[in-house]
Amino acid sequence: FLPSAGGLPLSRGMSRRASAGASASPSRKTSTASQRNEGRRSSGQSPKSPTAARRNSSATKASARGGLRRRSSVVTFKEGSADVDFFGTVNAQSTKQDISKLLRLLADATQRSDKEIIVSACKAFGRVCETRKGFVKVLKAQGVDVLIQAAQLPGKQGGDAAMRASRPLCQAASDWMDAVDEVEFTEIPDLMNITRQLGVFDEGVAISALCAMERFGLHRREHAAAMLDAGALAVLHRIIGAHRNPELLQDAHILLYRLCDLPAETVLPQLSEEIDLVKTVSEGLSHAPLNMRLQLSGLRLFSLWSKLGDRKVLNAIARASAQAALQRAEGDLQRSGFVHAADWLSAVAG
């Protein structure tokens, strides 16, 4: 090292100045920081911590880059779950649009055999049919056909749920028929459609339908003619073929007699199209040979049809063994000691 003027090496002098500067720098930094804080306090600003400074710097960088926005997460739901949630909101007070949507979803699920949708839709269907107002909405939207198609599926594919939903439907249909006013002839098409669709499956619906049709026929003869034009004979033929209850058969025979007790030109076209009805009536009589009330109602109907004078109808009555049924009934009455009843039956049957 080179000696300095004081006789000390140059390195030692430099080290002294460096140590003096190092000892003086913390105090200077502290005083400078305190002055800054006092200035912020006087201006109403709080001193910022290093963490806050880093946050501000990050925000400044983000704003400088145009701002980074967090993308909102989008939750997607399956269509099936949304449909199930919709079914839970459907009831008898639902709008016609909701009822139409319910039936459309049920029809689509029936084609795909989607059991989950079918079960949920059938539960909603049953809730709708709990009131007369809801049943009318289903009726106007052709919902009976949709449920019948679903009921034809196997039980494991949703057919059982459709059958359970048919119970409130049939009950609502019976209540509607019991309350329908025979003066409102505009209800005849709906009456015939309900009877055609549900009368075969449920005996209660069939009985209510027979009573309602009888009220319409007794109110005006024009109503009887309108029911004939709407296919009443075909509907009653299906009911007689499906149900063998003697009381129901007797009511059906009486209704057939009243519907056919019209001019021949009104009855013959309809009866000729449904000529197998003659054979079905004869089979019903053979199933209850000792029920004389049933025998009388059936033989009385044969007598009315024979008086129409149509060869096709007469041949059908002959093939149905109506004469044998009359002789059997007369013999049973005579052997039972009711000779006067046998004579009366012979006179009525002709």
Side-chain angles (χ1 to χ4, degrees):
F1 298 98
L2 295 176
S4 61
L8 295 176
L10 183 60
S11 60
R12 292 181 181 178
M14 293 176 63
S15 62
R16 288 177 181 176
R17 288 193 297 269
S19 61
S23 60
S25 59
S27 60
R28 291 177 183 175
K29 292 180 180 179
T30 305
S31 61
T32 305
S34 61
Q35 291 176 0
R36 291 177 181 174
N37 293 336
E38 290 177 358
R40 290 193 183 96
R41 292 192 188 96
S42 61
S43 62
Q45 297 179 356
S46 59
K48 296 183 179 179
S49 62
T51 305
R54 286 194 298 270
R55 291 177 180 174
N56 292 336
S57 63
S58 300
T60 304
K61 293 178 181 179
S63 61
R65 291 194 300 267
L68 295 178
R69 295 182 180 179
R70 186 177 181 181
R71 181 177 297 178
S72 59
S73 60
V74 179
V75 181
T76 59
F77 297 93
K78 294 182 179 180
E79 183 179 358
S81 61
D83 293 339
V84 172
D85 295 338
F86 165 74
F87 294 144
T89 63
V90 178
N91 51 35
Q93 286 73 33
S94 299
T95 61
K96 296 180 180 179
Q97 291 76 12
D98 290 340
I99 301 298
S100 300
K101 181 179 179 181
L102 168 65
L103 298 176
R104 184 178 67 256
L105 293 175
L106 178 57
D108 295 341
T110 302
Q111 294 179 356
R112 302 192 310 268
S113 298
D114 190 341
K115 182 178 179 180
E116 181 182 2
I117 299 297
I118 292 175
V119 172
S120 301
C122 289
K123 290 181 180 179
F125 194 101
R127 291 194 302 270
V128 173
C129 294
E130 290 178 353
T131 63
R132 175 185 172 89
K133 185 177 180 180
F135 171 75
V136 172
K137 293 178 182 178
V138 172
L139 180 63
K140 299 300 182 182
Q142 306 297 326
V144 180
D145 291 331
V146 177
L147 187 65
I148 290 176
Q149 293 177 0
Q152 295 176 358
L153 292 174
K156 295 182 179 180
Q157 297 181 6
D160 292 340
M163 292 300 296
R164 288 192 296 269
S166 65
R167 297 172 186 172
L169 174 64
C170 292
Q171 183 61 44
S174 298
D175 296 340
W176 182 86
M177 292 178 180
D178 294 338
V180 67
D181 190 358
E182 61 272 13
V183 178
E184 298 293 336
F185 64 92
T186 56
E187 302 289 354
I188 291 178
D190 291 336
L191 172 62
M192 302 308 299
N193 289 332
I194 297 173
T195 308
R196 184 182 299 106
Q197 294 167 340
L198 300 177
V200 178
F201 301 103
D202 188 82
E203 185 174 333
V205 175
I207 294 174
S208 298
L210 293 178
C211 296
M213 294 173 68
E214 184 178 9
R215 293 198 309 270
F216 276 99
L218 291 176
H219 181 69
R220 293 182 65 91
R221 292 173 62 87
E222 290 81 359
H223 292 175
M227 287 187 288
L228 283 177
D229 294 337
L233 296 185
V235 171
L236 294 176
H237 189 186
R238 296 182 62 184
I239 291 177
I240 293 174
H243 306 289
R244 293 299 182 179
N245 185 355
E247 287 76 13
L248 188 148
L249 292 179
Q250 180 182 347
D251 293 340
H253 294 167
I254 295 173
L255 178 59
L256 284 170
Y257 187 92
R258 289 174 176 169
L259 292 178
C260 295
D261 191 15
L262 294 173
E265 58 271 14
T266 303
V267 179
L268 281 177
Q270 308 298 332
L271 184 58
S272 299
E273 293 180 1
E274 203 67 28
I275 197 63
D276 292 336
L277 176 62
V278 178
K279 182 179 179 181
T280 304
V281 172
S282 178
E283 291 177 353
L285 296 180
S286 63
H287 291 165
L290 299 181
N291 190 332
M292 290 302 151
R293 297 178 62 183
L294 178 62
Q295 298 295 321
L296 175 60
S297 63
L299 294 173
R300 180 168 169 254
L301 181 60
F302 283 147
S303 176
L304 176 64
W305 284 342
S306 63
K307 292 179 181 179
L308 295 175
D310 184 74
R311 183 176 298 276
K312 184 177 181 180
V313 176
L314 292 175
N315 292 335
I317 293 175
R319 290 194 302 269
S321 302
Q323 187 66 30
L326 174 60
Q327 294 175 358
R328 182 180 63 249
E330 289 179 355
D332 292 338
L333 289 173
Q334 290 176 358
R335 286 190 296 271
S336 300
F338 299 100
V339 179
H340 61 287
D343 296 339
W344 182 71
L345 179 61
S346 177
V348 171

